[in-house]
């Protein structure tokens, strides 16, 4: 076999064996985890009212609101204020009151109950090498909970005089799933975004 023939064969083999791969990004939280936190934030602000007359112009100050998914929670608070009949001011100078927000919690909790042996890591020598032992259970239950807690206070934008405070607004959203003999699973395994009401997809406040 000549060199040219060998090169041609190798080139053809390479072409036939070629493959393509795609890369995926993995965010810090799964879609289910994000929805748990979002639904908890929605529940926390249900029925939000302020100790000032309806129709007042409110500037929402989120400078000290620090949490993952903070943007969604702040938008939920603004939507709740609009629904309650307050006007949103674009700046402090145009507002009748400033609503300064703070986040007590905006995260996830997880609890797992196992009747049997949970999965564990067992050391096998003096060098602390470990071996993983899978779960051996008759029944297990998993709870994933989104937790949200917000609070804030109101003050007059020109003088800084206090106008009132808002007690902590709390909300939770839970997913519970079950597993029997490590095979049979039931319960709410995922979060559905929700169903729209028939008709228009918007509503007027």
């Amino acid at each position: 076999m000549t060199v040219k023939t060998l090169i041609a064969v190798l080139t053809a083999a390479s072409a036939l064996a070629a493959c393509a791969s795609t890369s995926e990004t993995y965010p810090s939280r799964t879609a289910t985890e994000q929805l748990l936190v979002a639904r908890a934030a929605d529940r926390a602000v249900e029925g939000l009212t302020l100790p000032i007359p309806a129709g007042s112009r409110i500037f929402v100050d989120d400078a000290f609101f620090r949490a993952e998914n903070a943007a969604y929670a702040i938008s939920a608070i603004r939507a709740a204020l609009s629904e309650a009949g307050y006007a949103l001011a674009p700046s402090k100078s145009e507002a009748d009151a400033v609503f300064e927000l703070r986040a007590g919690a905006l995260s996830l909790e997880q609890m797992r109950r196992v009747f049997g042996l949970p999965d564990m890591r067992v050391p096998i020598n003096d060098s602390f090498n470990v071996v993983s032992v899978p779960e051996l259970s008759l029944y297990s239950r998993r709870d994933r909970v989104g937790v949200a807690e917000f609070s804030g206070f109101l003050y007059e934008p020109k003088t800084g005089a206090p106008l009132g405070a808002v007690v902590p607004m709390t909300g939770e959203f839970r997913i519970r799933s079950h597993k029997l003999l490590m095979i049979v699973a039931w319960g709410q395994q995922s979060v559905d975004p929700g169903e729209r009401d028939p008709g228009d997809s918007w509503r007027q406040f």
Side-chain angles (χ1 to χ4, degrees):
M1 181 180 296
T2 65
V3 175
K4 289 184 178 181
T5 304
L6 179 61
I7 293 175
V9 170
L10 291 175
T11 302
S14 298
L16 292 174
C19 61
S21 63
T22 59
S23 60
E24 297 180 359
T25 58
Y26 297 93
S28 59
R29 285 181 172 173
T30 66
T32 298
E33 291 172 339
Q34 291 173 354
L35 285 171
L36 281 167
V37 174
R39 295 295 81 79
D42 290 334
R43 289 188 172 182
V45 300
E46 287 179 357
L48 172 62
T49 58
L50 302 178
I52 56 176
S56 301
R57 294 173 61 83
I58 308 297
F59 176 75
V60 179
D61 186 354
D62 58 8
F64 301 100
F65 195 100
R66 295 287 182 267
E68 193 171 355
N69 284 7
Y72 183 95
I74 292 166
S75 180
I77 293 170
R78 292 168 61 87
L81 291 174
S82 294
E83 189 170 0
Y86 301 102
L88 298 176
S91 65
K92 291 184 178 181
S93 61
E94 301 175 66
D96 299 317
V98 176
F99 185 23
E100 184 171 307
L101 300 174
R102 55 183 180 268
L106 188 61
S107 193
L108 293 165
E109 288 184 345
Q110 183 168 208
M111 181 178 293
R112 187 176 180 86
R113 291 181 173 87
V114 176
F115 291 91
L117 295 176
D119 60 321
M120 61 184 74
R121 296 166 64 86
V122 180
I124 57 175
N125 54 34
D126 295 337
S127 300
F128 297 102
N129 293 325
V130 297
V131 60
S132 296
V133 179
E135 177 184 316
L136 297 172
S137 64
L138 298 175
Y139 166 80
S140 63
R141 189 181 80 186
R142 182 186 184 192
D143 285 298
R144 286 175 289 174
V145 186
V147 180
E149 181 186 274
F150 320 128
S151 58
F153 66 96
L154 290 160
Y155 63 89
E156 209 282 333
K158 294 180 180 178
T159 64
L163 298 174
V166 176
V167 297
M169 303 166 279
T170 59
E172 290 187 356
F173 193 84
R174 180 185 303 267
I175 290 179
R176 173 171 290 178
S177 56
H178 311 265
K179 187 175 290 186
L180 182 65
L181 299 176
M182 301 178 296
I183 299 175
V184 181
W186 73 95
Q188 192 175 6
Q189 301 294 323
S190 61
V191 175
D192 294 326
E195 296 180 358
R196 289 180 176 174
D197 293 332
D200 293 333
S201 60
W202 61 274
R203 60 193 175 94
Q204 186 174 2
F205 291 148

